[in-house]
Every structure is written in structure tokens, then in C-alpha cells.
Amino acid sequence: MKMNPNEIQLPADAVDFIDDAKLEALVAGMKEDADAVRAVIAKSMRKEALTVEETAVLLAAESPELVEEIFEAARQLKRDVYGNRIVFFAPLYVGNYCINNCKYCGFRKSLSSAVRHTLTEDELTREVHALEDIGHKRLILVYGESPIYSPEYIAKTVRQVYATKKGHGEIRRVNINAAPLDEEGFRIVKEAGIGTYQIFQETYHKKTYAEWHPANTMKGHYMWRLNAFDRAFRAGIDDMGLGVLFGLYDWRFEVLAMVTHARYLQEKFGVGPHTLSFPRIKAAEGVDLNLKYQVTDEQYKRLVAILRLAVPYTGLIMTAREPAELRREVLAFGVSQIDAGTKLEIGGYQEKRNEGDQTLNREQFQVGDTRGLDEVMGEILEGGYIPSFCTSCYRLGRTGEHFMEYAIPGFIGRFCTPNALVTLAEYLWDYASPETRAKGEALIAKEVEKLEPKLHDEVLRRLDRIRAGERDLYF
């Protein structure tokens, strides 16, 4: 595992596929064309991925009527591809030691006020129990970039999380947010049974990247990070998540760059990213955020809708960085995954405290939506969405090319809604408040009646088995 940027030797086939000049020219030349916008929308509705140039056409739309057409197309495409389900997960910070000095981060090495800690084995067990006690089944483990968090260490913590069970509680999918690894490091982590490996490029704009990520640090090596997923693919990982920290540079450039990255992976490896993440930069300990490129709520809604249209089969993750009001509105524009009940302090889930309390010197950044899982579940149900804790695709090998084989023809709907309903039933009968349980049972009854006869009967049988005490009955 490399920890010295001076030791990095990129593979001979490493390529810089982000053409800053081309993307800057597309942004500078943007001019609204209603006919072109509608033609691009029509292509999206055929579930065809957009080119970078076609994505730029949508980004150029500014008039309210055209923007609303983009929003409505994103709503419909989300329903067509993912139905009305929303997948839930929780982030779990394992350790916050870091060798980098990213200027926006509350964990940067030079910040002396940050409280540093790595969970012991007992503390990790207690954190997982606390998450299982409220109903979570999917976690993303987060690590600083440090020699402490080697591939062997990450793999060890992943195995521990999978082995930690309490009552009906168990974690069925562990995703990773960690530093880019070399090929052997990715292979070691893959063997632990991870789901998605998520790496944020933060910003694809090279000059801006250098401004925020000091040289002579691992994070300062733009190309090592940009080519991380090439190494991951060669190591056998085919389930990956891209991310941008919006607010560091022009949001339109970043959207075009994300689409460029997604198309690069699809063209080179036959598999695009499993997820895209698009958090906005938020307040952090010891950080003065005087941002030239701060993304407004309206721009945020547009970028989410455009990403949905540009990459129809890629999951979109909206995190609890955003306030509850905005999350409520943006869900409809194509979001497929959210976190809830989120606590970012190391060891924070096992602590008893008032909802909304945060300690910035123990967090990477400030959370915008501090509501508990049950409250968010209740609101999602009221909105007609199916909260899902499904992990079946990952566990049955429907990832990478296999996922696309199911997803692109639309067959994924045969699995997603039934699995969402049975995992929702588990939550309702094991963890939900009476109010949330009543809302959920009403929604399940309604959704079951929409299923084709064979699925309808099988889902009812599985719901009866869950009521009788069985668990983990996935399609």
C-alpha cells in the first residue's frame, strides 16, 4: 500500500481522460436550444446514456419551462428504471487519522483541534450493534488515508462487521469509502466480500484540484486518484462509486467530468459506475469556506436531474449533508439511495445524546439532516416511496456486467420491488415505531396488489414467513 507520493509509478496504460480544455469550452459555449434539449430528453427516455456533448445541452437550459421538462423527465426515468423505491444505508466512520491536508476537511493532518481516534474491536462491535438496533442492514465504512488503515486492516474490519449480529440485526452489505489502493490492495479488500468501493475525485478540474489538495501528499496526486478504478477493475472489483464535492469548482464542469468518467469506465471495461455521489461542501472544523463556486439549491436540483438523464442505470446517492427540506424535494429527481440517522463522530452511534447535537472537532463535516432513521422512514412512506434495505443483487452476483444484463432491459424491476417490500416488512416488524409501522403496512398492501400474479402470490407467502419469524428472504 503506497503512502509516499514520490514512490508512485503509474501503469503504462494510465490515461488522463479528463480534457479540461474541452469541458471548459463546452461550459463557455453553452446556449439554450429548446429543440435540442427536447431531443436529448427523448434519448434519455429511451434509457440511452448521453454523451458529454448531449449532457452539455441539458446544462445550458435555463428557462423555467425547459428546466421543468428536465425535472419531469428525471422523475419519469427514475420511476421507469428504479420504481418508487429508495435504498437506505448508514455511514460508519472507523478512524480519522489522515496523512493528507485537504483544505476543506475536518480530518486534515494539520488541524490540531481535531479529535483523532480509531475504533477498537469492541468499539466497532458496539457501533454495529447500535446501527442494527435501529434497523440498518447496509453500511459504508469510512477511513482516513493513513498507514493505519491498510488493505489488510480494512478487510479485517469488514469481516468483523459481517460477523457482528444482534437479535434479528445483521449487516448484509458493507461498502467502502477509503483511499485509492494499488492493485494488490484492492484485491485484498475485495476478498473480504465488500460491496461498492467508493472514491471521490472531489474535483476533476486540475488547477482547482491542486489548489485544494497540497502537493507532496497522497491526495495531491491527481492521476493516482483518477486511475484508481482502473486498478480496481484489474483486481476484480466491478462495483464502484464515483463522487464529486460540489462547490470547489463550476458545477457544470463537474457534471460533464462525472459523465466523462462514467463513459470512460463503460467503454474500457464494459461496466460503468454503480453509483454517483454529489454532496455539496459543508462547514467543517477549522475551515473558512469562502467559496467562489458555491452551488445553490436550484442548481443542485438541476445537477441531480441531469445526472439521472445522463446515466440512466447508475444509482444516485444523496447524503445527509443536505437539509431535510431539500432532500425531500430532490428525491423525486432520480435519487435511488440515501442515508438516515447519520452520525459522523467516531463512536457516535453508541452515544446517548439529543437528536441534532453535533461535535465538529470529531466530524469530517457538518451534517444537514440529523433526523433519526424511523422519522425519515415515516416521511418516505408518506411520500409513496418504498424504503428498501435490499442487498440481493450483490449477494447473488448481480454486479458489474451481470447487473447491467438485468438492469438495461428493465428486468431489474422483477427483483427490486419484491425485495424492497420484504426488507421493509422486516424493518416494520422488528424496529419501527407504531406510526411508521402503520404507514408501512398500508403501503405494502397497496404495492403488492400492483405485482404480476406470480410475484404477488410469492411476495405474500414470504411476508407470511417473515411474520412467523423468518428473515432474509430475498429474490
Side-chain angles (χ1 to χ4, degrees):
M1 180 181 181
K2 293 179 175 65
M3 281 293 158
N4 184 341
N6 297 319
E7 297 176 355
I8 291 176
Q9 291 185 333
L10 292 172
D13 64 346
V15 57
D16 181 2
F17 49 84
I18 300 296
D19 185 340
D20 288 50
K22 173 185 175 181
L23 301 186
E24 292 277 27
L26 284 172
V27 171
M30 285 180 179
K31 183 178 180 182
E32 182 176 273
D33 182 333
D35 290 339
V37 168
R38 290 173 180 132
V40 172
I41 288 175
K43 179 178 179 180
S44 293
M45 300 312 290
R46 296 193 297 270
K47 305 189 182 90
E48 298 178 30
L50 301 183
T51 66
V52 175
E53 291 78 9
E54 289 166 338
T55 306
V57 169
L58 298 183
L59 289 166
E62 295 283 352
S63 60
E65 61 272 17
L66 274 182
V67 171
E68 182 53 42
E69 288 183 39
I70 290 172
F71 287 164
E72 182 51 41
R75 293 184 191 102
Q76 185 59 52
L77 191 60
K78 196 274 179 185
R79 290 191 290 265
D80 291 346
V81 176
Y82 288 94
N84 62 335
R85 68 188 179 94
I86 300 292
V87 174
F88 277 74
F89 70 95
L92 172 54
Y93 278 70
V94 179
N96 66 347
Y97 286 91
C98 195
I99 61 174
N100 295 314
N101 252 323
C102 309
K103 296 178 181 179
Y104 48 78
C105 184
F107 288 166
R108 67 188 182 279
K109 181 181 178 180
S110 61
L111 187 61
S112 59
S113 60
V115 178
R116 307 288 178 179
H117 187 61
T118 300
L119 296 176
T120 65
E121 288 188 17
D122 286 345
E123 288 171 335
L124 179 57
T125 294
R126 291 198 295 271
E127 285 288 275
V128 175
H129 280 164
L131 287 160
E132 291 173 343
D133 282 344
I134 60 175
H136 275 295
K137 296 288 190 288
R138 302 165 59 106
L139 301 184
I140 182 163
L141 302 185
V142 186
Y143 308 79
E145 185 161 6
S146 166
I148 299 171
Y149 314 124
S150 65
E152 292 81 4
Y153 176 82
I154 293 173
K156 177 183 175 183
T157 55
V158 169
R159 293 188 178 100
Q160 181 181 342
V161 170
Y162 279 134
T164 301
K165 305 177 190 298
K166 185 179 180 183
H168 284 309
E170 62 177 343
I171 303 304
R172 298 171 183 165
R173 176 167 175 144
V174 176
N175 299 329
I176 300 295
N177 182 310
L181 304 174
D182 56 25
E183 192 171 330
E184 178 59 23
F186 278 122
R187 189 171 292 111
I188 290 169
V189 175
K190 161 77 173 177
E191 290 170 356
I194 67 165
T196 302
Y197 200 107
Q198 184 184 73
I199 299 173
F200 279 56
Q201 189 65 27
E202 316 295 10
T203 173
Y204 285 92
H205 188 255
K206 295 179 183 65
K207 180 180 177 182
T208 302
Y209 189 95
E211 290 172 355
W212 287 94
H213 307 99
N216 299 316
T217 64
M218 286 300 295
K219 190 72 171 280
H221 200 300
Y222 180 93
M223 285 296 292
W224 177 251
R225 201 166 191 87
L226 187 68
N227 279 261
F229 289 135
D230 294 58
R231 301 189 298 275
F233 265 114
R234 287 194 290 268
I237 295 176
D238 60 2
D239 199 312
M240 290 166 291
L242 309 183
V244 159
L245 185 53
F246 278 90
L248 298 180
Y249 191 60
D250 189 316
W251 67 279
R252 297 167 298 175
F253 178 98
E254 304 291 13
V255 168
L256 295 176
M258 290 184 87
V259 173
T260 300
H261 200 165
R263 291 185 65 87
Y264 166 80
L265 294 174
Q266 178 69 46
E267 291 165 6
K268 184 170 183 177
F269 299 102
V271 181
H274 187 72
T275 60
L276 299 180
S277 297
F278 34 84
R280 294 184 292 182
I281 192 167
K282 296 295 181 180
E285 173 75 5
V287 174
D288 181 15
L289 289 179
N290 184 19
L291 297 174
K292 178 181 177 181
Y293 297 103
Q294 183 66 62
V295 178
T296 67
D297 288 355
E298 188 61 30
Q299 291 168 341
Y300 187 76
K301 289 185 283 188
R302 287 173 60 192
L303 75 87
V304 175
I306 290 168
L307 285 172
R308 168 48 61 226
L309 296 178
V311 283
Y313 295 100
T314 298
L316 298 186
I317 299 176
M318 179 173 57
T319 72
R321 284 181 188 246
E322 305 304 330
E325 297 79 10
L326 184 63
R327 294 224 294 174
R328 189 177 301 121
E329 186 173 0
V330 174
L331 270 181
F333 299 149
V335 170
S336 56
Q337 296 187 33
I338 63 172
D339 55 331
T342 296
K343 297 179 182 178
L344 301 188
E345 296 95 336
I346 309 295
Y349 288 109
Q350 58 195 291
E351 296 176 354
K352 302 299 181 184
R353 58 180 178 171
N354 295 325
E355 186 176 299
D357 288 351
Q358 297 184 64
T359 310
L360 272 185
N361 66 352
R362 295 172 55 207
E363 297 180 317
Q364 189 178 19
F365 53 85
Q366 189 172 38
V367 176
D369 186 353
T370 60
R371 296 173 298 166
L373 174 60
D374 193 76
E375 182 179 352
V376 178
M377 290 281 288
E379 179 180 276
I380 291 292
L381 289 163
E382 284 182 1
Y385 297 102
I386 308 172
S388 175
F389 297 91
C390 176
T391 59
S392 68
C393 283
Y394 155 71
R395 296 160 77 195
L396 291 172
R398 296 193 293 254
T399 63
E401 288 184 277
H402 299 293
F403 175 81
M404 299 305 289
E405 289 170 3
Y406 283 97
I408 287 178
F411 296 153
I412 201 69
R414 299 181 184 177
F415 304 100
C416 291
T417 296
N419 282 321
L421 292 174
V422 295
T423 59
L424 172 58
E426 288 184 335
Y427 174 83
L428 296 177
W429 298 329
D430 290 340
Y431 307 103
S433 65
E435 295 79 10
T436 298
R437 180 172 178 176
K439 295 173 187 175
E441 289 181 333
L443 184 75
I444 287 175
K446 178 181 177 181
E447 292 294 331
V448 167
E449 293 308 309
K450 298 178 183 178
L451 299 174
E452 59 184 64
K454 184 177 180 180
L455 270 178
H456 171 278
D457 294 345
E458 181 56 34
V459 169
L460 286 180
R461 282 192 290 269
R462 296 192 187 204
L463 291 173
D464 286 340
R465 290 167 63 188
I466 291 171
R467 287 190 185 92
E470 291 188 63
R471 292 295 179 268
D472 202 17
L473 305 176
Y474 53 89
F475 290 83

